[in-house]
Amino acid sequence: MLNRRSALKWLHWLSLGLILYFFLVEPGKNRADPGLALATHAGVGLLLAIVVLVWTVMAATKGLAGRAGPKLPDWAKRFHRINHRVLQIALPVMVATGALAGLMAPFAIKAFGLLQINPASGSKSLHDFAEEVHDLAFNALLAVIALHVVFHLWRHFLLKDNALRIMLPRLLHKYL
């Protein structure tokens, strides 16, 4: 059984992998099979929604698992707290905007081609608007994630406080 800290580490990296999928694969740009791309996008979105829900409940009930390290200067301690709070808000917002875009679709969307996740009774104009909002939310999330990554790389490699070792599952420590 995983303890809370280990579970959060796995959720952290699973979230990154799922978000990386969304960054690399856009259904609208897949000309080979746009229906399959949308079905996969919806399925991965559903998986991300579950991960974000679990992560959000854990954060809401227990708070952040870690605190800013003692080597961090005051500005970095403030950035650490703010960046993590923004991520805790931005992830559910991005998932919610994606769910809204799916619900507004005038066509059926089946996660992984199996589970229909919307009523298929929305309007094209509302769907298009919701997709734009979702794209904006996703791009904002990517910017926050980029800041998060740069900050923790700075901590690990320049400040030398082992930030990545703290965040990676023990299984991967040998690679640092």
Side-chain angles (χ1 to χ4, degrees), residues 64 66-69 72 74-87 148 151-152 155 167:
L64 284 177
R67 58 179 175 27
L72 291 177
D74 287 340
W75 70 266
K77 288 178 182 178
R78 284 190 302 276
F79 178 82
H80 180 273
R81 185 179 63 253
I82 291 167
N83 185 251
H84 283 88
R85 292 288 179 223
V86 170
L87 281 169
H148 183 76
F151 176 73
H152 286 295
R155 285 182 63 185
M167 289 184 285

Side-chain angles (χ1 to χ4, degrees), residues 107-176:
F107 48 85
I109 299 174
K110 293 184 177 182
F112 296 120
L114 303 170
L115 175 68
Q116 185 165 333
I117 59 172
N118 71 336
S121 61
S123 76
K124 180 165 174 29
S125 59
L126 285 176
H127 174 66
D128 290 345
F129 176 73
E131 274 190 330
E132 287 298 319
V133 171
H134 181 55
D135 283 346
L136 287 171
F138 183 69
N139 290 335
L141 176 65
L142 288 178
V144 174
I145 289 171
L147 286 172
H148 183 76
V149 167
V150 168
F151 176 73
H152 286 295
L153 289 173
W154 168 78
R155 285 182 63 185
H156 187 79
F157 291 110
L158 297 177
L159 198 58
K160 298 191 184 303
D161 74 348
N162 283 325
L164 296 182
R165 197 174 279 278
I166 293 164
M167 289 184 285
L168 279 172
R170 191 175 307 256
L171 178 70
L172 302 174
H173 284 192
K174 62 185 171 192
Y175 299 110
L176 292 176

